[in-house]
Amino acid sequence: MTPRFVVTAEDFGLSRGITDSILETVDKGPVRRVSIIGNGSAFASAVAEAKRRPHLKLALHVNLTEGRPLSPRHAIPQLVDARGFFAYAPAALLARSLMSRALSQQIRIEVAAQVLRAREALGTGALLVNGHQHVHLIPAVADALASMEGVAAVRNVSEPFYLAGSVSLAHLAARPLLAFLSRRAGRKLALANAWFVGFLYSGRMTARALAAGLASVRNDGGEVLMHPGSALPGELAEWSGDVAWHYAAARAAERQLLLTTRLENVSAVGGMEWRRVFRFGVAGTFAAAIDLGAFYLLTYRAGVWYLYASVFAFGVAFIASFLLQKFWTFADRSVERAHRQAGAYLALQLANVVVGMAILYIFVRVFGPWYFIGQCLALLVRAALTYTVSSRIFRPGAA
């Protein structure tokens, strides 16, 4: 059964172009919540547009990392640079706020200004709050929100782990930190959602990533985060931060996904990814058993020289692995491309040998003669590499 969730579009009100393109996914797609950015240039017009759509819910998108603050510069000198723009990226803001009480107090001032602006514009005393680049989870920000009237709940960014192709190492590293900070925030504030999908593949949400994420959750009450808004040329001249991201083609791709995909059916597709992972593991285990069995029979039973036996066993296991992964794991029934795929798969297996040896060598050099642990690490990396590359080798039109 598909879990119930709300689809949220981020950066509403940042600019007119971003706002209008998000509204397309509200009017013609499944978006039912927007995160309105506290210091956006189109804040007022975005609020007016939202009020014309009674079914649309708004959340305040607290922003402390891009653009200019609402507070006067003299009130928050440590939070801005010489030009008056926010000075820190999220990681730096987290680190510096933990070490500086003065900066934490200035964060409180700016957060209060953005909350007040939202409450006055929206005419509500119960704000749902999240953060641009998830800054609402920074302890100084969460503590400030917990002390303010009118903050009903904050976004929980505890995302289940799932794979849907290559993933950013930075997002992988930040994922457990965001889960920890969400739990911390939950001790002082109500959490608006039980689960979250949209961080691991933030800005690169494809149908495959969305399906894999939804297949990883079971209960209702979640949130799916998307970035469907695209800026118009030149309208971010007075903005700071990653300006290019607001013009990225990935945003248009997410918008198209929202306009053309029935999200209530997508989690069933996501189950395919986990079935593939399971089949990949079974096929790999079976191929390894064939390798070991053939080697044992040739050496101990037939008396074949062990090096010849090893090469022959590798060949038999390779054929078994290739056929299982192609026809069973990835369900690729094509025959005309099989010879090219076999070559690519052989190159992958040979590369895996080199990668495994390199990992084992480096591990032993750094940590000492813990050979077995090093070999286990190498096997895990090789398995992840094999699955990722194989999904490309055996996808339709590949190789």
Side-chain angles (χ1 to χ4, degrees), residues 42 137 311 376 398:
L137 296 179
V311 172
C376 289

Side-chain angles (χ1 to χ4, degrees), residues 44 52 73 125 165 179 184-185 197 259 293 298 358 360 392:
R52 296 191 186 101
R73 184 174 170 183
R184 181 191 182 278
V197 169
L259 293 173
L298 289 170
L360 180 59
R392 295 178 179 275

Side-chain angles (χ1 to χ4, degrees), residues 64-366:
L64 300 169
T65 56
E66 291 189 353
R68 298 181 185 275
L70 298 183
S71 306
R73 184 174 170 183
H74 65 81
I76 52 170
Q78 294 187 28
L79 194 55
V80 296
D81 60 18
R83 301 173 300 161
F85 291 107
F86 284 122
Y88 303 113
L93 185 64
L94 169 61
R96 289 178 177 269
S97 65
L98 291 174
M99 298 183 291
S100 171
R101 179 174 297 180
L103 179 58
S104 295
Q105 292 172 343
Q106 292 173 31
I107 286 174
R108 182 182 294 269
I109 292 172
E110 177 59 20
V111 170
Q114 294 186 25
V115 169
L116 178 61
R117 185 185 194 192
R119 291 185 66 189
E120 289 178 344
L122 300 177
T124 176
L127 284 177
L128 171 60
V129 179
N130 54 53
H132 189 56
Q133 299 173 325
H134 306 299
V135 296
H136 67 289
L137 296 179
I138 291 176
V141 181
D143 292 349
L145 290 171
S147 68
M148 295 177 188
E149 290 187 16
V151 176
V154 295
R155 171 185 287 160
N156 171 21
V157 193
S158 296
E159 185 171 35
F161 179 74
Y162 60 94
L163 287 176
S166 59
V167 63
S168 164
L169 293 179
H171 285 186
L172 272 178
R175 175 183 162 274
L177 175 62
L178 289 175
F180 168 78
L181 292 176
S182 293
R183 288 193 296 272
R184 181 191 182 278
R187 291 196 290 268
K188 298 188 176 186
L189 292 153
L191 296 179
N193 49 299
W195 52 264
F196 180 84
V197 169
F199 176 72
L200 277 174
Y201 291 89
S202 179
R204 298 182 298 123
M205 287 293 285
T206 61
R208 180 184 176 193
L210 185 56
L214 292 177
S216 305
V217 299
R218 293 291 179 267
N219 57 326
D220 296 333
E223 180 181 16
V224 172
L225 176 64
M226 304 289 283
H227 294 82
S230 299
L232 296 173
E235 69 177 354
L236 295 183
E238 290 299 315
W239 193 254
S240 66
D242 189 1
V243 173
W245 156 234
H246 299 291
Y247 294 96
R251 284 178 168 260
E254 290 197 8
R255 184 163 62 254
Q256 186 65 18
L257 173 64
L258 289 171
L259 293 173
T260 58
T261 304
R262 294 181 63 85
L263 299 189
E264 64 270 23
N265 297 329
V266 78
S267 63
V269 179
M272 294 173 58
E273 188 70 30
W274 291 110
R275 288 196 292 273
R276 282 181 176 176
V277 172
F278 174 76
R279 290 182 176 185
F280 173 79
V282 172
T285 302
F286 185 69
I290 289 177
D291 191 324
L292 293 174
F295 181 78
Y296 173 81
L297 291 174
L298 289 170
T299 52
Y300 290 94
R301 297 299 182 185
V304 177
W305 188 39
Y306 71 96
L307 290 181
Y308 288 157
S310 178
V311 172
F312 182 84
F314 172 82
V316 174
F318 169 79
I319 294 172
S321 177
F322 174 77
L323 294 175
L324 283 170
Q325 301 295 13
K326 175 178 171 61
F327 293 107
W328 188 53
T329 300
F330 296 99
D332 178 14
R333 309 300 183 191
S334 64
V335 177
E336 66 279 1
R337 298 182 293 118
H339 64 286
R340 296 194 300 274
Q341 291 174 325
Y345 194 69
L346 177 60
L348 170 62
Q349 296 304 318
L350 295 176
N352 256 337
V353 174
V354 176
V355 169
M357 292 176 63
I359 291 174
L360 180 59
Y361 176 78
I362 294 171
F363 184 90
V364 172
R365 292 282 294 181
V366 174

